[in-house]
Amino acid sequence: MKYTESVFEDLSKRYSYQPMFLQSVEEVLTSIDPLVVGHKEYEDAALLERLVQPERTVSFRVPWVDDTGTVRVNRGWRVQFSSALGPYKGGLRFHPSVNMDTVKFLGFEQIFKNSLTGLPMGGGKGGSDFNPKGKSDVEVMRFCQSYMTELFRHIGADTDVPAGDIGVGNREIGYLFGHYKRLTNQFTGVLTGKGLSYGGSLIRTEATGYGIVYLAEAILKDHQDSLEGKKVLVSGSGNVAIYTIEKLCQLGACPLTASDSDGWIYDPHGIDFESLKEIKEKRRGRVSEYVDTHPHAEYHEGGCLWDIEADLAIPAAIQNEITLDKAKLLLKNGVKYLIEGANMPTLLNATKLLAEQGVYIAPSKAANAGGVATSGLEMTQNAERLSWSAEEVDAKLNTIMTNIYQNAARAAEEQGNRDNLIAGANMAGFKKVADAMMAQGIV
């Protein structure tokens, strides 16, 4: 049995109740097998066994009081997966679906995503099953303060630097940072995604969405094509989707869709970025409101947004939204490129079908690395007590995303297929982490 197979078999037995984590590990181990075969020293050092196990996991209760005076209790987690390349780095997700499986899968993906950026960052992730939706600002503040009361003892600017994710935006980061500062009497770059008034970076909010489009631009350019005039399907309407839509418009593409948990909109004229941003970011409304001011657009509570003719698809909502049936719809509607905006949005059988049918797939660990890349740039600015202009940060982000594509494509080409960016991204990310782990001994 191959080394990668034996490691995955053992992991599957141990964590059969964590399917998302196992899915992410299986994809990586399958991709890197050609690299591992030629390195017996990896097996001798149990490198893969160490790689697939977090260095540390923290689980804790989060008690807080709601506006009626009722005591509520949620669960909180932080998984510190790998510090081989630098301090643990990865977001915090507040959503009812969050559990240890979610956090481990996201943390494992983060190792390779951070490696691909070229910045000195390890991999980690955290969150809670708390739902900020429908809560008052005071309730959110109380929860964040309780969450940080435990988390603060496990993080630090040179140890672990969390950021935002689903359910954790500027409001939540502000409350978390304020309480960390009070508990430690330190003003450090311990969190990224901060407000501009207290150490945040320009372009951070937009970074993941912008980075997705920069990577797509690099891919199409390498295939003697461009985004100009391309029809694009986008799912989601959070920061990632909104700023993906903005950058697509700026580069001449036509984003046709957006969605939330209630339904989705289709605008044949192209989604109006400013209107969508007003609804989702300023009013915290629902995408259904879009048709009130755009009568030519359609709102659907049922159906499937992937059943529309397009050139590119960018799933930017949540993991595993592209099932096998939805992959078949993408093929039917002529999609040639799938750029993964969310973390692991495509099931493995759907990925296999799309790849076999010639669809070019950019995996999330490459495509949505713009957010953590800009977080890394924020860490640099905090450490140097500097603030770069939006143009400087945007230019650095574009360069990082272009380099991610080139390095992943080069790694894929070395294995005989430059267009297999899934394997290329996994191999390029893994090689750097493996080299660091081997250099640092058995730790």
Side-chain angles (χ1 to χ4, degrees):
M1 183 181 293
K2 294 180 181 179
Y3 178 36
T4 51
E5 292 175 350
S6 66
V7 170
F8 184 70
E9 182 179 281
D10 179 66
L11 202 71
S12 297
K13 292 176 182 176
R14 189 176 302 185
Y15 299 110
S16 59
Y17 56 93
Q18 295 179 347
M20 287 187 293
F21 171 55
L22 292 177
Q23 180 184 337
S24 63
V25 173
E26 182 179 11
E27 182 204 276
V28 171
L29 293 185
T30 301
S31 294
I32 65 173
D33 187 64
L35 287 182
V36 173
V37 168
H39 291 273
K40 181 65 166 56
E41 68 272 20
Y42 290 167
E43 188 170 357
D44 293 341
L47 186 141
L48 295 184
E49 289 90 339
R50 290 185 286 133
L51 180 66
V52 300
Q53 292 286 355
E55 293 176 10
R56 187 176 297 104
T57 61
V58 182
S59 174
F60 50 95
R61 70 185 182 197
V62 189
W64 57 283
V65 181
D66 69 17
D67 287 343
T68 69
T70 302
V71 177
R72 306 288 186 183
V73 182
N74 287 94
R75 296 298 304 167
W77 294 272
R78 186 67 180 173
V79 171
Q80 297 172 331
F81 227 112
S82 172
S83 60
L85 299 182
Y88 308 106
K89 187 80 189 79
L92 299 172
R93 176 175 294 190
F94 292 170
H95 191 272
S97 66
V98 171
N99 54 35
M100 181 60 83
D101 183 24
T102 311
V103 176
K104 283 180 68 177
F105 122 66
L106 291 169
F108 186 72
E109 289 281 295
Q110 202 75 43
I111 300 170
F112 309 101
K113 183 187 303 184
N114 294 358
S115 173
L116 286 168
T117 69
L119 300 173
M121 300 181 293
K125 205 75 178 182
S128 171
D129 55 8
F130 171 77
N131 187 3
K133 182 180 176 182
K135 305 293 193 302
S136 71
D137 288 348
V138 173
E139 287 176 319
V140 172
M141 181 181 71
R142 293 192 196 109
F143 172 82
C144 288
Q145 289 175 342
S146 182
Y147 184 88
M148 184 54 76
T149 297
E150 174 61 32
L151 186 67
F152 89 97
R153 66 193 79 236
H154 308 291
I155 63 176
D158 296 313
T159 303
D160 184 349
V161 184
D165 196 282
I166 294 172
V168 180
N170 290 339
R171 174 183 61 173
E172 289 77 14
I173 291 292
Y175 294 149
L176 290 164
F177 181 79
H179 202 56
Y180 178 87
K181 183 163 60 73
R182 184 181 186 187
L183 289 167
T184 64
N185 195 30
Q186 294 180 352
F187 193 110
T188 68
V190 70
L191 288 159
T192 57
K194 300 185 293 298
L196 295 177
S197 62
Y198 61 100
S201 174
L202 290 161
I203 309 294
R204 176 60 189 91
T205 301
E206 301 89 341
T208 305
Y210 282 13
I212 289 166
V213 182
Y214 288 146
L215 188 96
E217 183 182 38
I219 291 169
L220 268 69
K221 183 178 179 181
D222 198 33
H223 290 77
Q224 292 75 52
D225 204 345
S226 77
L227 286 169
E228 185 69 35
K230 294 293 188 293
K231 295 179 181 179
V232 188
L233 305 178
V234 180
S235 67
S237 55
N239 277 351
V240 177
I242 288 173
Y243 292 105
T244 295
I245 287 169
E246 181 188 26
K247 186 57 68 174
L248 285 168
C249 293
Q250 290 177 357
L251 296 181
C254 182
L256 299 173
T257 60
S259 66
D260 59 22
S261 57
D262 293 335
W264 56 282
I265 51 173
Y266 166 59
D267 189 338
H269 297 173
I271 297 293
D272 182 339
F273 159 74
E274 292 295 346
S275 294
L276 184 64
K277 181 180 178 182
E278 169 71 24
I279 292 166
K280 297 302 294 184
E281 288 198 348
K282 295 183 180 178
R283 302 208 304 264
R284 296 179 183 268
R286 312 306 291 166
V287 297
S288 57
E289 299 171 29
Y290 182 89
V291 299
D292 295 340
T293 53
H294 297 76
H296 54 273
E298 302 171 8
Y299 173 69
H300 301 264
E301 286 189 6
C304 179
L305 70 82
W306 306 113
D307 196 10
I308 294 173
E309 186 176 320
D311 303 294
L312 288 86
I314 302 179
I318 201 165
Q319 65 267 13
N320 289 339
E321 60 175 306
I322 303 295
T323 62
L324 186 60
D325 287 342
K326 290 174 182 175
K328 291 176 181 177
L329 289 177
L330 294 177
L331 292 171
K332 183 192 78 171
N333 287 291
V335 168
K336 295 294 188 291
Y337 298 90
L338 176 69
I339 314 296
E340 294 188 333
N343 288 301
M344 201 173 70
T346 314
L347 288 170
L348 291 177
N349 58 359
T351 299
K352 185 174 184 291
L353 174 66
L354 291 169
E356 287 174 348
Q357 295 300 314
V359 174
Y360 189 100
I361 303 172
S364 57
K365 61 174 59 69
N368 74 9
V372 73
T374 306
S375 284
L377 299 178
E378 181 178 332
M379 291 167 64
T380 300
Q381 292 172 80
N382 290 169
E384 297 182 354
R385 299 292 194 266
L386 295 175
S387 180
W388 296 332
S389 70
E391 292 75 18
E392 287 178 290
V393 178
D394 196 31
K396 292 177 189 296
L397 171 62
N398 197 339
T399 298
I400 289 171
M401 298 309 298
T402 301
N403 287 341
I404 286 175
Y405 169 66
Q406 292 174 346
N407 291 336
R410 189 179 304 116
E413 188 173 30
E414 289 173 357
Q415 299 301 321
N417 184 1
R418 183 177 177 85
D419 284 347
N420 188 353
L421 205 68
I422 295 174
N426 285 326
M427 288 188 287
F430 168 76
K431 184 64 168 62
K432 186 176 179 182
V433 174
D435 289 348
M437 290 177 69
M438 293 298 294
Q440 294 167 26
I442 309 301
V443 293

